[in-house]
Amino acid sequence: MSGDVFDQAFVRAKQLLLAPLTGAPDWVMQIASSLINIFAVLGVFLTLFALISVLERKILGRIQNRYGPNRVGPFGLFQPVADGIKMLIKEDIVPARADKIVHFLAPIMIAATAILALGVIPYGRNMTPFVIDGGILFFFAVGSTTELAVFMAGWGSNNKFSMLGAMRAIAQMISYELPLIITTLPVVMVVGALSPDAIVAAQGGYTFGIVPHWFATTPWGAAAFILFFVSGLVESNRTPFDVPEGESEIVAGHMTEYSGFKYATFFMAEYFGMFAISGLAVTLFLGGWQAPIAGLQFIPSYVWFFAKLSMLLFVYIWIRGTLPRTRVDQIMNFAWKFMLPMAFTCVVAAAVWHYQGRGPAGWLWSLAVIAIVYIALSRLLDTRKRFAGRTYRFAE
């Protein structure tokens, strides 16, 4: 009973805030409820953004054997405040021949897209900000407008580097959006619903009380989760796929002509997009707010969701501190020749698992389908010759 009190603490807090409006028209209650949800989501993720901006630099510093931020405040914890003040007082420079309206709207649009995507993810039991039957469809429909915002930034800047960076970003994002969406299809097929809440509910239950019924514990789910995670890295422009803003190649891509708070908005939108993609991965494959072991269900559901989200965000940072940036042709080849066929394979493997009764036989047949296609692709796409050792010759 005490566990339920903590688990539903935020739900009851919202009910207390709405209590004075009891008896008001329905539309007033709906608007008030929506505003509370919006401010809650913004408050939580703006705080998380500030926190991870420090932790990422701390973790990268640890990986690279150096100190992270350690001057502003105790242990450098006030660094986000310093960064925010710096961005607010920096001069906002707009090119003389830029399309000023498009240039202004691009960062707003890309940030709004990421915030909207965060609104349909269930963060705990009865804690979905906006319950939509087609929540998964809404997530991808809203997310697809990111390409338009990036194009607006490149085009509106009236700069060749910005335009080239925008086109590279759009090509990369469209290429990886296909496997991102296709790896979601097996989950939607198996559950038979597009609602994130229904998907989390379908992953409830445990075998022997210790093995959760998460989709990531099935062969097709594990493969789809890895593909989804890699695609999410690309969609978030994270290392090793941060080609659109590769400073050594193309200045800062579509953000070249942005400064001050507009640049900070792009930076924030990138992190919000990372939160949204990671949150959807937790919802689709890692059981959402479900506990990993039956005996730990007394811990509030939202704690489990944010623990899983934090784990994925740590892997994002770990990868950034470990891998170098890849070339554009390597990224595109990987998307169309490997990621896309494997994504379709996950759909077939999920169907086999389902029609084999979702038991041990289905598990083995599903694993066989994944393994056969993976081995075939690894043989067909043998890259050993392409990355053979090079002989460098210098002028005498």
Side-chain angles (χ1 to χ4, degrees):
M1 186 65 183
S2 59
D4 185 61
V5 171
F6 288 110
D7 188 48
Q8 299 298 296
F10 295 104
V11 177
R12 290 194 174 91
K14 179 184 173 182
Q15 291 170 351
L16 288 174
L17 290 173
L18 291 173
L21 297 176
T22 304
D26 289 343
W27 64 270
V28 174
M29 290 289 287
Q30 289 173 0
I31 291 174
S33 177
S34 297
L35 287 174
I36 291 170
N37 291 342
I38 290 167
F39 283 116
V41 169
L42 286 176
V44 168
F45 285 101
L46 283 173
T47 304
L48 185 58
F49 166 60
L51 184 62
I52 199 170
S53 66
V54 174
L55 289 178
E56 178 163 14
R57 283 177 276 185
K58 290 276 191 183
I59 294 168
L60 290 175
R62 182 70 176 173
I63 291 171
Q64 297 161 357
N65 196 25
R66 60 178 176 81
Y67 293 110
N70 64 347
R71 290 291 184 270
V72 187
F75 307 105
L77 292 178
F78 291 163
Q79 188 64 46
V81 179
D83 291 340
I85 294 171
K86 170 189 168 185
M87 288 299 180
L88 280 169
I89 64 177
K90 280 187 74 172
E91 184 180 3
D92 179 25
I93 301 171
V94 181
R97 296 186 179 181
D99 188 325
K100 291 179 175 54
I101 296 176
V102 175
H103 187 271
F104 174 76
L105 289 176
I108 296 173
M109 185 172 176
I110 200 167
T113 293
I115 293 168
L116 284 170
L118 290 167
V120 295
I121 296 172
Y123 300 105
R125 189 179 286 105
N126 303 320
M127 288 179 61
T128 307
F130 298 97
V131 180
I132 304 174
D133 288 339
I136 302 298
L137 190 61
F138 176 84
F139 185 97
F140 287 112
V142 167
S144 63
T145 60
T146 304
E147 286 89 333
L148 177 60
V150 169
F151 179 75
M152 287 169 63
W155 176 267
S157 298
N158 193 26
N159 178 302
K160 297 297 187 292
F161 283 113
S162 297
M163 191 62 195
L164 285 171
M167 296 311 295
R168 293 208 312 185
I170 291 166
Q172 173 179 309
M173 291 164 77
I174 290 175
S175 298
Y176 279 86
E177 207 164 89
L178 288 171
L180 190 74
I181 295 172
I182 293 168
T183 49
T184 307
L185 289 179
V187 176
V188 174
M189 286 167 44
V190 168
V191 176
L194 283 164
S195 168
D197 292 280
I199 290 170
V200 173
Q203 297 177 77
Y206 305 85
T207 301
F208 306 118
I210 55 173
V211 181
H213 293 169
W214 300 350
F215 293 133
T217 59
T218 63
W220 63 268
F225 171 65
I226 293 170
L227 295 173
F228 187 95
F229 185 81
V230 172
S231 299
L233 277 173
V234 181
E235 291 291 306
S236 304
N237 285 337
R238 297 285 300 184
T239 306
F241 304 108
D242 57 337
V243 168
E245 50 194 77
E247 296 88 350
S248 59
E249 305 166 20
I250 201 161
V251 192
H254 58 281
M255 297 184 290
T256 300
E257 297 293 354
Y258 283 91
S259 61
F261 201 71
K262 290 179 184 174
Y263 182 85
T265 304
F266 274 108
F267 187 67
M268 180 186 72
E270 180 179 306
Y271 276 88
F272 272 36
M274 186 169 69
F275 299 155
I277 289 288
S278 300
L280 188 63
V282 170
T283 301
L284 292 173
F285 302 104
L286 300 179
W289 44 261
Q290 306 274 4
I293 300 174
L296 296 176
Q297 289 179 316
F298 66 92
I299 297 175
S301 56
Y302 50 84
V303 172
W304 286 120
F305 179 89
F306 282 99
K308 296 171 189 177
L309 181 68
S310 301
M311 179 188 68
L312 294 186
L313 294 177
F314 174 74
V315 175
Y316 271 86
I317 297 169
W318 189 0
I319 290 172
R320 180 181 175 183
T322 306
L323 300 178
R325 181 182 296 132
T326 51
R327 295 199 315 258
V328 178
D329 60 311
Q330 294 170 346
I331 293 174
M332 301 302 281
N333 278 331
F334 186 61
W336 293 99
K337 295 180 180 179
F338 180 80
M339 295 285 289
L340 200 59
M342 284 302 298
F344 281 115
T345 303
C346 290
V347 177
V348 176
V352 170
W353 176 80
H354 174 72
Y355 285 110
Q356 285 291 327
R358 305 190 179 190
W363 206 93
L364 291 172
W365 278 107
S366 176
L367 179 63
V369 170
I370 297 287
I372 289 169
V373 175
Y374 176 80
I375 293 169
L377 286 173
S378 65
R379 292 286 184 269
L380 291 171
L381 304 176
D382 189 0
T383 56
R384 281 177 294 181
K385 295 180 181 178
R386 191 175 303 168
F387 295 105
R390 297 181 181 180
T391 302
Y392 293 93
R393 294 181 175 85
F394 302 94
E396 296 294 336

